[in-house]
Amino acid sequence: MTTSFTTSGLITGLDTNSIITQLMLIERKPITRAEDRISVLKKQKEALGELRTQLFTLRNKFQDFRLNTIFDQYRAASSNEKALTVEISGSDPVIGSYAIDVLQLASATEASSSSVLGSPVNPNAAFNSSGIGQDVEGGIFSINGVQFSFDPDTQSLNNILGAINSSAAGVTATYDAVTDKVTFANTNDDDTSVIIFGGDDDTSDFLSAINITNATQSTGAGNKTYATSTRNLGAVNPADDLASVPFANGAVTSGTFRINGITITIDAATDSISDVLTRINDSDAQVTASYDTSGDTIKIVSNTLGSRTIRFESGTSNFLDVTNLTAATQVAGNDARFTVNGGAAQTRNTNEVSDAIGGVTLNLLSVGASTVTVSGNDDAVVEKLNEFLTAFNDSVDKIRELTGSDGALAGDSSLQAIENYLRSGVFAQVTGYGDYKSLPEIGITTGDSFDSSAVAHLQLDEEAFREALRDDRLNIRNLFANTANTGIADTLYSYVDEISRTTGFLNARAKSNGSIDVQIRDLNDQIDRIEERVTKKETRLRTQFANLEKISATYQQQSSALSALASTYSIL
């Protein structure tokens, strides 16, 4: 707009601002029409985006049927889930009913050290030097309320047991060098009272060191209470370096050994028992190794179920010999045994059987009988089909909404052509795969009633469809999608995918810098040009009206001068 000073008809009496404003409104009518067109184009772009989204949803529903996963849905059930559970594991399970009798479960082979790892303690040596598996704090401990003072650096195990036996604690303590354990018993026969180990004022952990604190107490010979150490006193510490562990079988040497043919390497100077067990578990030996704290042994369990034993082979290291695993006591596992429909017993080295019934996995849980039923999951098919019909109807509704008289794309023939193609394609004939050749033959129609004012929606006669599924499931699958790509879903997918993809004609119109954006940009450029022309014209008009005021002012001054002169002559 111009910023020129105007007198707005001060001399001429004309309302120049109003005149110019009205003239500019006329000049700006093309701008208003362009802005209205831009508004329409923006609505069309938004509407095309909505339609493309809706069609893409429909495209995905077609794709679901093309992938053949819709009809490849089955269900399996076990009548006795305590004996076994069942699941579909293949793409084409064998439908039927099967009597399964679980006769035996598969179990893993277990191997354990044939004897404890640690050497028995020396009961006559100072306790902390006796071979005990931990350093013991000196101080006070108590039994049945009687306190004992203990110095582990000077007193031996026999010293302290003698002190206990000669005390008023009422118990007799003995050390068994064979088991490397201490047993406590009430001194008097027929005394079944609980032996109280420890007290609130204890400062020594002697009772914990001999593993008696939490020992089970029971009645034994003489009808009195007995309690024995829960583990051998010389039990090893699995965290100590192998070279420092007092093994009963001597020192471990560095080198290699093999389990199930897999080589394990150890360094006695730096590796602990825990390190070696971790290395075994991380290897391909297919076993799980652990240290049994209570038994002071190493336990090896096969990761594979069945009756195969574990193979131990000593190499350049004597680790297996020292830990008593070379001649380990092995409890062989069992193979699973079961029958199907009363046939001969079958065996597997697993409780997860995937090859007894085609496409089905049996998870054996316990001995017992169960009936396994495998059937098509028609509920899932119906659910997916209803989703397809809903997406189809929603797409047709959206096209009708947009192309109707009040729609953003009223009368758009390209969109109406999409609706026509969908309607003709969904009722096309598919031949060569069975008796069912079209969707109406399996219960998919537009209903019995006709209303010319309403959009005809696809409807499902569920009972008729389920009957067709039971009659010929493969025919129904091929009706939707087949290897020749002539199914209803095949042809409609190809069409909808083509028009809804990023390179399709819908997106070519609606995308950023698409055909609609080009039109909007051209209109904005047109508006800018008109605005510039109108501004210049307004400036010119205001200048012209200002000049008119100046000329009028000059004429007025001349008129006044002439009037004054005339008055002068009349006086004379």
Side-chain angles (χ1 to χ4, degrees):
M1 298 294 289
T2 182
T3 56
S4 301
F5 171 75
T6 62
T7 56
S8 188
L10 181 62
I11 305 301
T12 62
L14 297 174
D15 187 356
T16 57
N17 281 334
S18 177
I19 293 171
I20 292 172
T21 298
Q22 293 300 317
L23 290 172
M24 293 305 100
L25 286 176
I26 295 173
E27 294 290 333
R28 284 192 170 84
K29 281 188 176 181
I31 294 177
T32 301
R33 288 194 295 271
E35 289 175 340
D36 290 343
R37 178 57 181 162
I38 289 174
S39 178
V40 170
L41 288 171
K42 287 181 177 180
K43 290 179 180 178
Q44 289 181 351
K45 178 178 180 178
E46 181 181 357
L48 286 171
E50 293 175 357
L51 177 58
R52 181 170 173 260
T53 299
Q54 179 59 53
L55 289 175
F56 201 78
T57 298
L58 180 60
R59 173 255 190 209
N60 290 341
K61 299 305 177 185
F62 291 143
Q63 180 72 323
D64 288 343
F65 281 86
R66 293 184 70 245
L67 294 175
N68 280 331
T69 58
I70 301 298
F71 296 97
D72 289 341
Q73 297 188 80
Y74 301 86
R75 66 178 71 195
S78 167
S79 64
N80 181 7
E81 293 196 341
K82 291 183 178 180
L84 65 93
T85 59
V86 60
E87 59 185 301
I88 302 296
S89 55
S91 60
D92 192 18
V94 181
I95 292 176
S97 182
Y98 306 87
I100 309 296
D101 192 1
V102 182
L103 306 176
Q104 177 177 277
L105 293 180
S107 59
T109 294
E110 295 184 5
S112 296
S113 303
S114 55
S115 61
V116 297
L117 305 186
S119 296
V121 299
N122 181 350
N124 296 311
F127 198 71
N128 274 346
S129 302
S130 66
I132 193 73
Q134 65 184 81
D135 287 334
V136 180
E137 293 291 332
I140 295 173
F141 67 89
S142 58
I143 299 175
N144 286 335
V146 177
Q147 291 186 335
F148 300 89
S149 180
F150 179 56
D151 182 357
D153 293 326
T154 60
Q155 290 179 286
S156 67
L157 176 61
N158 281 340
N159 290 153
I160 195 62
L161 295 185
I164 293 171
N165 293 338
S166 62
S167 72
V171 295
T172 300
T174 57
Y175 169 71
D176 186 338
V178 175
T179 62
D180 193 29
K181 294 180 179 180
V182 176
T183 297
F184 288 81
N186 285 332
T187 302
N188 298 323
D189 289 347
D190 299 322
D191 182 359
T192 58
S193 59
V194 173
I195 303 172
I196 301 173
F197 295 106
D200 295 338
D201 297 328
D202 284 4
T203 58
S204 173
D205 56 353
F206 170 77
L207 295 175
S208 175
I210 63 173
N211 307 305
I212 198 67
T213 306
N214 297 315
T216 300
Q217 299 191 24
S218 59
T219 302
N223 193 34
K224 52 188 177 182
T225 300
Y226 288 82
T228 300
S229 303
T230 55
R231 63 190 301 229
N232 52 308
L233 274 58
V236 302
N237 184 345
D240 289 344
D241 293 339
L242 294 172
S244 65
V245 175
F247 288 104
N249 290 337
V252 170
T253 58
S254 300
T256 62
F257 61 89
R258 296 166 69 85
I259 297 180
N260 286 338
I262 301 300
T263 299
I264 308 296
T265 303
I266 65 171
D267 184 340
T270 59
D271 288 333
S272 66
I273 292 176
S274 295
D275 293 333
V276 177
L277 299 185
T278 298
R279 199 163 299 147
I280 292 171
N281 294 336
D282 291 342
S283 75
D284 293 327
Q286 294 298 306
V287 295
T288 299
S290 60
Y291 173 71
D292 182 357
T293 302
S294 62
D296 189 31
T297 56
I298 291 176
K299 183 177 181 180
I300 308 287
V301 180
S302 176
N303 292 343
T304 302
L305 304 182
S307 58
R308 270 59 58 193
T309 56
I310 303 168
R311 177 174 294 181
F312 296 102
E313 300 174 81
S314 294
T316 57
S317 171
N318 63 352
F319 178 83
L320 295 177
D321 301 312
V322 172
T323 56
N324 303 306
L325 286 171
T326 305
T329 301
Q330 296 202 38
V331 178
N334 294 317
D335 289 327
R337 295 179 64 249
F338 61 93
T339 62
V340 178
N341 291 335
Q346 303 182 40
T347 61
R348 302 288 190 279
N349 65 343
T350 176
N351 291 315
E352 192 173 287
V353 181
S354 58
D355 57 354
I357 301 173
V360 175
T361 295
L362 306 175
N363 299 302
L364 310 183
L365 302 177
S366 68
V367 172
S370 175
T371 298
V372 170
T373 304
V374 182
S375 60
N377 190 353
D378 292 351
D379 290 343
V381 178
V382 170
E383 180 182 350
K384 288 296 184 181
L385 183 56
N386 278 321
E387 290 177 5
F388 156 73
L389 297 181
T390 297
F392 185 94
N393 292 333
D394 287 348
S395 297
V396 171
D397 287 345
K398 175 59 72 172
I399 295 173
R400 284 291 183 94
E401 173 194 335
L402 297 179
T403 59
S405 58
D406 296 328
L409 294 152
D412 191 312
S413 60
S414 64
L415 301 191
Q416 291 170 341
I418 296 175
E419 178 188 350
N420 293 335
Y421 189 95
L422 291 177
R423 288 194 177 280
S424 61
V426 80
F427 290 121
Q429 291 274 324
V430 180
T431 60
Y433 295 98
D435 293 337
Y436 302 111
K437 298 178 176 61
S438 67
L439 296 188
E441 295 178 28
I442 61 173
I444 301 174
T445 66
T446 55
D448 298 330
S449 60
F450 176 74
D451 183 354
S452 59
S453 64
V455 180
H457 284 167
L458 296 182
Q459 301 176 21
L460 175 65
D461 182 339
E462 188 173 317
E463 183 177 348
F465 179 72
R466 287 180 180 272
E467 182 177 350
L469 271 181
R470 290 190 294 268
D471 179 46
D472 194 340
R473 195 182 194 88
L474 182 59
N475 182 183
I476 306 303
R477 175 197 291 182
N478 287 323
L479 179 59
F480 280 92
N482 52 61
T483 55
N485 290 324
T486 59
I488 302 298
D490 289 325
T491 56
L492 290 181
Y493 169 83
S494 297
Y495 175 74
V496 176
D497 179 63
E498 178 66 30
I499 64 176
S500 64
R501 65 174 56 178
T502 55
T503 56
F505 83 89
L506 291 178
N507 197 45
R509 295 172 64 182
K511 69 180 180 179
S512 178
N513 293 320
S515 61
I516 290 180
D517 276 357
V518 170
Q519 294 180 65
I520 292 174
R521 185 168 60 249
D522 290 344
L523 288 169
N524 280 324
D525 291 342
Q526 180 182 337
I527 289 171
D528 290 341
R529 290 193 298 271
I530 295 173
E531 245 342 317
E532 183 179 1
R533 186 177 69 248
V534 170
T535 298
K536 290 179 178 179
K537 187 168 187 177
E538 182 179 357
T539 300
R540 186 170 62 252
L541 285 173
R542 290 190 180 279
T543 300
Q544 290 172 346
F545 275 108
N547 291 335
L548 177 61
E549 291 293 327
K550 290 178 182 179
I551 293 171
S552 296
T554 300
Y555 287 155
Q556 190 178 59
Q557 290 173 356
Q558 291 176 350
S559 176
S560 296
L562 289 173
S563 295
L565 181 61
S567 297
T568 301
Y569 282 115
S570 65
I571 293 173
L572 295 175

